[in-house]
Amino acid sequence: MADETTLTAHKVPELTEAAAARVAAIATKQGAPALLRLSVEGGGCSGFQYKFGLAEGIEEDDSVSETGPAKLVVDAVSLDLVAGSRIDFVESLGGAAFRVENPQAAAGCGCGSSFGI
């Protein structure tokens, strides 16, 4: 039986209802499937940065979670860095953006687009 740490390390991130609705709206406008791809790249002010984009399809090594009308797709390499995360869509006076609540992030930047572990 796997311990709790192992289970958390492989937990596919989830979209909130607000994020799923926004993905579906963007996909409808672009005539694309409601598939949001989250990946992690080196860089940003904290070491890693999140990258979002609509996906054309699901790759063989992708992990997928579904919320309402949308799916979140994460590649195997990025999954290790974002496992257990929650992706929300927030609107404020400063603008609107997808925000990642990553339980593994030990540090982050003010804008929320980069993190360190």
Side-chain angles (χ1 to χ4, degrees), residues 33-109:
L35 295 172
L36 179 67
R37 178 169 297 281
L38 168 60
S39 58
V40 176
E41 298 178 342
C45 53
S46 297
F48 295 102
Q49 60 187 16
Y50 302 112
K51 182 178 177 188
F52 291 100
L54 288 181
E56 290 294 320
I58 299 170
E59 302 295 327
E60 188 175 310
D61 70 338
D62 287 339
S63 294
V64 181
S65 70
E66 187 170 356
T67 302
K71 292 181 182 177
L72 177 67
V73 181
V74 182
D75 64 88
V77 174
S78 297
L79 181 59
D80 286 341
L81 298 169
V82 296
S85 294
R86 184 170 175 258
I87 292 76
D88 196 9
F89 182 75
V90 294
E91 295 183 76
S92 67
L93 291 175
F98 289 102
R99 178 165 294 149
V100 179
E101 297 170 16
N102 187 343
Q104 297 186 71
C109 66

Side-chain angles (χ1 to χ4, degrees), residues 3-29:
D3 64 23
E4 188 174 328
T5 304
T6 302
L7 292 173
T8 301
H10 299 291
K11 185 179 178 196
V12 180
E14 298 178 351
L15 292 171
T16 64
E17 292 291 331
R22 184 63 177 169
V23 170
I26 292 168
T28 298
K29 283 183 181 180

